[in-house]
Amino acid sequence: MIEDLLTPLRDAEVRPPRVDLQLAIRTGRRRRRVRHAAMAGLAVAAVLATTVVIGTFSGRPQSMPANRQPLPTSTVAPPLGGCTLSEDNPPYASERPRSVVDDTWQVVVHLEGTRRVIRYVDGRRDRIENAPVDFSALGDANRAGDFTATDYREERGWVYRNGMFAELALPDGARKIELIDINDAGDVLGTVVPADTSRREAVVWTHGRPDRPRVLDTPAGLSSRAYGIAWDGTVVGEVFDGASLTSYLWHPDGAGEPLPRPAELSADGGVTGLAGDWAVGPDVRWNIRTGKTDVIKGLDGAGIPDVYGRIYGNTATDEHRQVVWINGTFQPMTETFNGERVQLRAVRDDGRQLLGQTTAGAWVRWDC
């Protein structure tokens, strides 16, 4: 199925479908040294006057009902099995903001120009021509084909569902928006900046209610930034100020609490990944459903989780050997292809396919 999806996109410049491993590692290292930086990518350009009329927005994608079903999870991850490495030719030539891919790799959304969007769902191609504004970037996509987009010039966010774009209302006084994630139920996750303040606030727009932003509870005096939203609306992220950072979990009702931090770990590195019920940060893995916390020793940075709790990354050695962490044990991965060293770049949410690049720039794929 994935080949059917990718074939018509060979020339479409689509970004890798999961978190770049090197970015996750750099983020983990940086958070050990620096407490927090201002939210990037939210500078406002010249304001353009635009009047748009959008039809009534409601309901779920026609392709899928509201999905509140839990993804596979277990405190004991299944073995990965053997993985074969072969040459691939995916259309992953560019990064955001031009394209987004859902966690299953079955949905690809590509921004062509500023008002035309090309969407592929299980290989079916849709050309979406009714964009209401000039989009600056795409945010994320879910397996139903819903996606989000942002106009940074006027600081407006949008969600596409059932053939229509709906604008996401900002909380009172908010002046900037960054869209981060959309789950399979259609809940949209973002971060906003309240007017006349340097604080950040994590916000959820529940599916079908783009007009009702819900600011997540944050301890007084702190900012909040979210990383990902789970199938039931649970959110993971962090709260911070200029001197401290705390990994945080918000329940579906918006109430929040710190994620437990093992006593043997010193500085909190925040949350850098979420898949299914598993969140990760540097040296730690959380099960957001059971509350189980595991110390991950030997990885350089946080790595990338899959829905079973396996973590893909590099060991903290001079060679940066690529491994999969499974229930406390490292499983080595093939690291060379045709004599060239291979670097892991992306992981499908179920861990069955991984993408990498050789030192010469060729794309390769592990099938597990």
Side-chain angles (χ1 to χ4, degrees):
M1 183 68 71
I2 187 69
E3 287 302 319
D4 294 339
L5 172 61
L6 297 181
T7 298
L9 272 178
R10 296 300 179 186
D11 300 319
E13 295 189 347
V14 179
R15 72 168 176 90
R18 291 288 290 165
V19 176
D20 189 306
L21 179 61
Q22 294 306 301
L23 176 59
I25 290 173
R26 291 195 300 271
T27 300
R29 286 173 171 170
R30 184 172 63 250
R31 285 174 171 170
R32 283 192 174 104
R33 299 191 301 265
V34 181
R35 280 296 143 208
H36 222 88
M39 183 168 56
L42 294 181
V44 181
V47 176
L48 305 177
T50 306
T51 302
V52 181
V53 177
I54 302 296
T56 302
F57 174 87
S58 63
R60 288 292 308 141
Q62 296 173 356
S63 57
M64 187 185 74
N67 187 349
R68 294 291 185 186
Q69 298 300 313
L71 294 172
T73 189
S74 171
T75 55
V76 178
L80 187 63
C83 299
T84 60
L85 186 61
S86 59
E87 188 172 4
D88 197 12
N89 186 30
Y92 303 133
S94 69
E95 299 289 334
R96 290 177 186 252
R98 307 307 304 177
S99 306
V100 291
V101 183
D102 83 312
D103 292 342
T104 68
W105 298 14
Q106 301 303 304
V107 175
V108 180
V109 183
H110 179 67
L111 183 59
E112 190 174 75
T114 58
R115 294 208 175 195
R116 176 180 297 170
V117 180
I118 307 299
R119 182 182 63 174
Y120 294 81
V121 180
D122 293 334
R124 300 187 304 274
R125 183 177 187 270
D126 297 322
R127 183 182 296 271
I128 300 169
E129 304 274 9
N130 61 333
V133 296
D134 291 330
F135 290 131
S136 306
L138 295 172
D140 200 14
N142 65 17
R143 72 184 68 200
D146 304 341
F147 62 90
T148 60
T150 307
D151 171 16
Y152 286 143
R153 288 169 295 274
E154 295 211 12
E155 295 299 340
R156 302 163 70 187
W158 303 79
V159 62
Y160 181 86
R161 186 181 299 131
N162 284 343
M164 293 182 292
F165 285 94
E167 184 172 2
L168 298 168
L170 290 177
D172 291 342
R175 57 188 174 88
K176 293 183 180 180
I177 184 171
E178 179 187 28
L179 297 179
I180 298 168
D181 198 8
I182 180 171
N183 66 10
D184 288 335
D187 304 323
V188 176
L189 178 66
T191 302
V192 301
V193 179
D196 303 321
T197 178
S198 60
R199 294 181 61 247
R200 306 306 193 252
E201 293 180 335
V203 178
V204 170
W205 292 265
T206 304
H207 66 92
R209 299 314 304 263
D211 57 329
R212 292 192 178 182
R214 176 163 50 86
V215 178
L216 301 182
D217 290 347
T218 302
L222 297 182
S223 288
S224 60
R225 183 169 65 178
Y227 182 89
I229 185 166
W231 55 272
D232 66 342
T234 300
V235 173
V236 294
E238 55 212 26
V239 297
F240 61 95
D241 60 16
S244 66
L245 179 149
T246 301
S247 300
Y248 221 70
L249 179 144
W250 288 271
H251 300 283
D253 65 359
E257 62 182 312
L259 283 166
R261 186 77 181 167
E264 61 190 275
L265 301 181
S266 54
D268 194 332
V271 178
T272 60
L274 174 68
D277 290 340
W278 298 99
V280 297
D283 305 319
V284 63
R285 181 187 72 164
W286 298 276
N287 186 299
I288 63 174
R289 208 63 51 205
T290 67
K292 179 177 171 56
T293 304
D294 298 292
V295 175
I296 311 298
K297 295 182 177 180
L299 281 183
D300 184 11
I304 306 173
D306 68 15
V307 296
Y308 299 102
R310 298 175 294 216
I311 302 175
Y312 306 76
N314 294 338
T315 54
T317 65
D318 291 340
E319 294 79 18
H320 295 286
R321 187 178 184 186
Q322 292 179 165
V323 295
V324 182
W325 183 93
I326 306 175
N327 305 319
T329 301
F330 287 129
Q331 175 180 319
M333 292 174 54
T334 305
E335 295 186 294
T336 59
F337 184 78
N338 291 340
E340 295 284 342
R341 188 172 179 83
V342 176
Q343 178 61 59
L344 178 67
R345 296 297 185 192
V347 178
R348 201 171 76 181
D349 65 347
D350 62 2
R352 305 309 300 175
Q353 288 185 332
L354 323 171
L355 288 175
Q357 266 186 305
T358 68
T359 53
W363 283 97
V364 295
R365 185 181 72 202
W366 292 267
D367 290 286
C368 303

